[in-house]
Amino acid sequence: MKPLLLTLGEPGGIGPDCIIRAYKNRPELFDHIIIVTPGLWMEQRATQIDIPTVIFEFSTLNSAIQAKATGLRCWNPVPSHIATGPVVMGKTSQMTAMAVICCIQTAAESCLARHAAGMITGPIEKAVLRSAGFNFPGHTEFLAHLSRQPQAEAETDFVMMLASASLRVALLTTHLAIKHVPETISMQATIDCIRIVQRDLIHRFGIPKPRLALCGLNPHAGEQGHFGREEIEILMPAAESARLDGIDVTDPLPADTAFSATNRHNFDAIICCYHDQALIPIKAISFGESVNVTLGLPFIRTSVDHGTALDLAGSEDVSYSSLVEAIEMAITMAQKASS
Ligand SMILES: NC(=O)c1ccc[n+]([C@@H]2O[C@H](COP(=O)([O-])OP(=O)(O)OC[C@H]3O[C@@H](n4cnc5c(N)ncnc54)[C@H](O)[C@@H]3O)[C@@H](O)[C@H]2O)c1
Ligand SMILES: N[C@H](C(=O)O)[C@H](O)COP(=O)(O)O
């Protein structure tokens, strides 16, 4: 199996804590993992939280892959003209923003070049990266941009999904102001999203016949047009078109009952119109046990379900459970892809 690349995200946040604590408790999980980071970011945090950890830094991916080292293998791709510090635990800094972006981009390019099976990402502080010139609202959109072919025609070619043992949610729209959601949802983008979810549930998750639910945008799924017409004009025709292609997807359901225990059991994924329609239920039910996975990319990408939690950096209260889930999911997907 090719290696999986792990980016730690914001170095002042809990990303380094999660990796060090996960490695201490589940070292075997890291057999196929190379962390894309300056080694110093990991060494500093290991010292600060007093968890002795053997950390090796390599300057090339190949040397990291070849190393027979017992410890955390870090590949530092950051060129010397890009600042890597100082890192202050619990604080973000413009001084590390470009290095954070460099690590994510280099990891993605290695996946695209097929030097790695996929990537797992730690949490970034989005506002800090934005003010450093990063023109994307999150990893998902950045990785989709890096992966996109110039002649690509689909309106939607990637889907954000959060997945746990009890629920999977997929998003028609990702990081944008709520007032822009209605104008962003189109029939073609909805059909593209449904197709991507269907295809990746089969190929990445091994679900032979996915059963999909689609949520309405408006209260009561529009109440037959009385509370909005997006269901009638966009979502129902998109679902009908997908069903003609053999996809098992519902007409738009009222979102307030879409996440009932029965529906969570009966559907393999619930497709939602906007970020919080999807992420509130899954984080309420499974925060710390769910995985953020990007569908539609030419490589595997999983991530933790939490943010940078600056308030907890360096604390014993940091949970690394979502990182473990994200690593396990990436390994399972990579093994499936290579079998
Ligand atoms: N995958 C990502 O890159 C990602 C995901 C979500 C948020 N973010 C970013 O993180 C920053 C902070 O976002 P937020 O405050 O909304 O969410 P957050 O997940 O960082 O924190 C929400 C709450 O959960 C707690 N928490 C989070 N992770 C925890 C963990 N592993 N163990 C124990 N407690 C934990 C925090 O202390 C806080 O009380 C923002 O810049 C946001 O954009 C990044
Ligand atoms: N929307 C995600 C969440 O709230 O957990 C998170 O911001 C991660 O997004 P990216 O993976 O696109 O960075």
Side-chain angles (χ1 to χ4, degrees):
M1 191 180 105
K2 287 181 186 166
L4 289 159
L5 304 179
L6 169 56
T7 57
L8 60 75
E10 167 54 51
I14 62 168
D17 298 275
C18 292
I19 295 171
I20 292 162
R21 290 182 186 282
Y23 178 65
K24 182 183 171 203
N25 290 286
R26 298 283 308 276
E28 79 288 354
L29 273 185
F30 288 77
D31 288 351
H32 295 287
I33 300 254
I34 291 165
I35 307 169
V36 186
T37 181
L40 185 63
W41 289 358
M42 297 297 298
E43 284 165 9
Q44 280 179 343
R45 185 62 55 86
T47 304
Q48 284 161 334
I49 62 177
D50 198 20
I51 298 182
T53 309
V54 179
I55 292 162
F56 297 95
E57 180 180 294
F58 301 90
S59 58
T60 65
L61 175 57
N62 203 32
S63 55
I65 293 171
Q66 299 301 327
K68 301 277 179 270
T70 307
L72 279 178
R73 289 175 292 168
C74 297
W75 167 33
N76 181 5
V78 183
S80 55
H81 66 271
I82 295 181
T84 55
V87 175
V88 180
M89 189 168 67
K91 299 229 177 305
T92 60
S93 164
Q94 291 287 337
M95 294 301 293
T96 52
M98 295 308 297
V100 169
I101 297 164
C102 172
C103 290
I104 298 167
Q105 178 159 352
T106 309
E109 286 168 351
S110 301
C111 294
L112 288 168
R114 300 189 183 281
H115 297 147
M119 59 193 285
I120 301 142
T121 58
I124 50 174
E125 186 82 6
K126 298 178 195 315
V128 173
L129 299 193
R130 284 304 279 252
S131 52
F134 183 65
N135 204 18
F136 300 91
H139 290 96
T140 306
E141 299 84 352
F142 184 45
L143 299 177
H145 166 78
L146 293 175
S147 305
R148 195 161 289 135
Q149 301 294 325
Q151 69 278 16
E153 283 177 5
E155 273 189 40
T156 294
D157 53 7
F158 68 92
V159 174
M160 181 188 290
M161 170 176 276
L162 270 82
S164 73
S166 49
L167 178 63
R168 292 187 199 91
V169 288
L171 282 66
L172 278 178
T173 61
T174 54
H175 297 116
L176 78 170
I178 199 87
K179 68 178 176 182
H180 295 310
V181 167
E183 74 209 31
T184 305
I185 294 176
S186 71
M187 186 170 150
Q188 189 58 49
T190 306
I191 295 170
D192 292 342
C193 174
I194 293 170
R195 284 189 183 135
I196 292 168
V197 173
Q198 148 98 353
R199 190 187 63 209
D200 277 19
L201 283 179
I202 295 171
H203 296 298
R204 294 242 192 257
F205 287 82
I207 299 170
K209 289 187 180 163
R211 301 156 303 168
L212 307 180
L214 178 63
C215 278
L217 172 68
N218 298 295
H220 306 190
E223 193 74 39
Q224 299 181 21
H226 294 288
F227 306 155
R229 297 196 55 81
E230 286 83 358
E231 288 78 8
I232 292 170
E233 292 172 5
I234 299 171
L235 298 172
M236 283 172 71
E240 178 62 25
S241 170
R243 285 195 293 270
L244 289 174
D245 282 348
I247 299 177
D248 181 356
V249 61
T250 66
D251 277 334
L253 305 177
D256 57 349
T257 48
F259 302 93
S260 67
T262 307
N263 283 342
R264 296 201 305 270
H265 177 73
N266 286 343
F267 295 110
D268 297 302
I270 301 179
I271 299 175
C272 302
C273 291
Y274 56 93
H275 185 277
D276 286 4
Q277 189 180 67
L279 268 58
I280 289 173
I282 195 159
K283 291 195 181 183
I285 293 172
S286 313
F287 191 49
E289 293 158 16
S290 51
V291 177
N292 178 345
V293 48
T294 312
L295 310 183
L297 297 179
F299 54 86
I300 295 159
R301 184 268 172 153
T302 66
S303 186
V304 293
D305 65 1
H306 56 81
T308 52
L310 295 168
D311 55 326
L312 290 183
S315 129
E316 290 189 355
D317 296 332
V318 171
S319 162
Y320 57 85
S321 54
S322 178
L323 177 63
V324 167
E325 295 287 337
I327 293 174
E328 286 180 335
M329 184 184 285
I331 292 173
T332 304
M333 288 178 173
Q335 286 170 337
K336 192 169 184 324
S338 66
S339 65

